[in-house]
């Protein structure tokens, strides 16, 4: 099989370890979206899309039009970048997703907003280095607006929790998990601790798989907070996250890639 990696970072641990598993019996080729010309190499049997840049999405769409399977599809990847679209789809599907308002640019909204309770302000476009912050009152909100005046944002009411995010990842049907102190907690983002899937509250692993079905994702992350007694609240969905340090993740990705490649040949 020929497996293509759409990424500028083929040395990422998950991709590198997966490549090492596949390379003895298969051909693995990395495609840097910024360096591929108008005529990409001959089609691979499957592509793994681990990049969210416009160039990467454009390349993925081009390959899909030629009939190549891409994991995840360009459409599913792009949807997860837009937090307005993400929340709308999740809530329409009945998922326990944080209620989300789109308010335009932060600077314009903050001039008249008077939050009566803490809010979470996020960049509408999910990307590396984006805005994710808690504002407890008008003064904190206006300070955020001073720093990010032209940033299009969404706003969520802050849901009280224990300050830890459940980081859940899926590769096909396999679910991996960890705990990480939230960037919204008083101490800021903290260390990530391993968490066995069996330690998750009842139903959470199935909830993650349902997210994959709703969003048409094969490799993805779901951030969940426990709002009390194991009640989950989804606060973010990511297409093809890093999934670092999870035993069995490279093996699961290799199996998924080969399965999708074989299905594409059938």
């Amino acid at each position: 099989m020929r497996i293509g990696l759409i990424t500028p970072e083929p040395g990422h641990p998950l991709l590198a370890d997966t490549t090492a598993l596949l390379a003895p019996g298969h051909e693995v080729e990395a495609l840097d979206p910024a360096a591929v010309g108008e005529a990409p190499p001959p089609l691979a049997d499957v592509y793994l899309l681990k990049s969210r840049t416009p160039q990467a999405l454009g390349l993925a769409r081009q390959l899909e039009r030629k009939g190549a399977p891409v994991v995840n599809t360009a459409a599913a990847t792009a949807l997860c970048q837009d937090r307005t679209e993400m929340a709308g789809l999740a809530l329409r599907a009945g998922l326990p997703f944080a209620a989300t308002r789109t308010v335009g640019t932060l600077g314009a909204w903050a001039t008249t907003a008077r939050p009566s309770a803490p809010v979470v302000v996020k960049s509408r476009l999910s990307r590396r280095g984006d805005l994710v912050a808690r504002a407890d009152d008008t003064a904190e909100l206006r300070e955020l607006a001073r720093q990010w005046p032209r940033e299009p944002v969404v706003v969520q009411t802050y849901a009280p929790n224990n300050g830890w995010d459940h980081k859940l990842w899926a590769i096909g049907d396999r679910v991996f998990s960890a705990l990480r102190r939230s960037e919204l907690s008083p101490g800021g983002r903290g260390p990530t601790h391993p968490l066995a899937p069996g330690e998750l509250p009842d139903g959470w692993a199935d909830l993650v798989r349902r997210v994959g079905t709703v969003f048409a994702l094969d490799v993805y992350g779901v951030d969940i907070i426990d709002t009390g007694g194991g009640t989950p609240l989804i606060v973010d969905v990511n297409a093809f996250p890093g999934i670092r340090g999870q035993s069995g993740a490279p093996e699961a990705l290799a199996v998924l890639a080969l399965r999708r490649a074989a299905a594409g040949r059938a």
Side-chain angles (χ1 to χ4, degrees):
M1 297 286 187
R2 296 186 69 239
I3 296 96
L5 308 178
I6 303 175
T7 177
E9 299 177 287
H12 182 285
L14 176 62
L15 295 181
D17 290 347
T18 301
T19 297
L21 292 169
L22 291 169
H26 307 277
E27 182 180 351
V28 183
E29 180 180 21
L31 299 177
D32 183 343
V36 174
E38 294 184 3
L43 284 184
D45 295 295
V46 68
Y47 292 89
L48 305 181
L49 175 57
K50 177 118 182 58
S51 179
R52 298 181 293 174
T53 65
Q55 296 98 324
L57 293 175
L59 175 59
R61 292 188 182 100
Q62 180 182 353
L63 295 166
E64 287 170 348
R65 286 194 294 268
K66 293 182 177 182
V70 179
V71 179
N72 302 290
T73 67
T77 301
L79 190 150
C80 289
Q81 288 183 280
D82 188 326
R83 287 190 169 104
T84 297
E85 297 297 325
M86 178 197 303
L89 175 58
L91 293 168
R92 289 193 301 273
L95 294 170
F97 196 93
T100 302
R101 292 181 292 149
T102 303
V103 298
T105 62
L106 179 53
W109 178 68
T111 60
T112 58
R114 300 289 188 276
S116 58
V119 295
V120 178
V121 182
K122 300 180 179 181
S123 297
R124 175 170 176 170
L125 180 62
S126 174
R127 62 195 189 279
R128 187 173 297 178
D130 62 358
L131 170 63
V132 178
R134 172 178 168 177
D136 287 352
D137 52 35
T138 301
E140 291 185 1
L141 181 61
R142 291 185 175 174
E143 175 58 23
L144 281 179
R146 186 188 66 79
Q147 300 173 45
W148 299 75
R150 296 181 178 84
E151 183 73 5
V153 296
V154 300
V155 178
Q156 300 168 344
T157 300
Y158 176 76
N161 61 90
N162 63 5
W164 290 83
D165 291 336
H166 286 77
K167 308 291 292 185
L168 296 154
W169 303 281
I171 300 176
D173 290 333
R174 289 280 306 274
V175 175
F176 305 87
S177 56
L179 274 176
R180 188 178 71 193
R181 193 175 68 206
S182 172
E183 58 200 315
L184 304 179
S185 67
R189 177 176 290 181
T192 299
H193 300 294
L195 184 69
E199 299 179 78
L200 293 172
D202 290 343
W204 281 32
D206 287 337
L207 174 60
V208 170
R209 297 185 182 100
R210 187 178 168 210
V211 170
T213 300
V214 169
F215 282 82
L217 294 166
D218 291 301
V219 184
Y220 57 99
V222 184
D223 291 352
I224 301 179
I225 59 175
D226 185 343
T227 58
T231 301
L233 184 69
I234 299 171
V235 294
D236 210 357
V237 178
N238 300 286
F240 219 125
I243 319 182
R244 296 175 183 269
Q246 293 294 309
S247 177
E251 289 81 2
L253 185 57
V255 169
L256 174 65
L258 294 177
R259 186 169 71 240
R260 291 296 302 275
R265 283 188 172 187

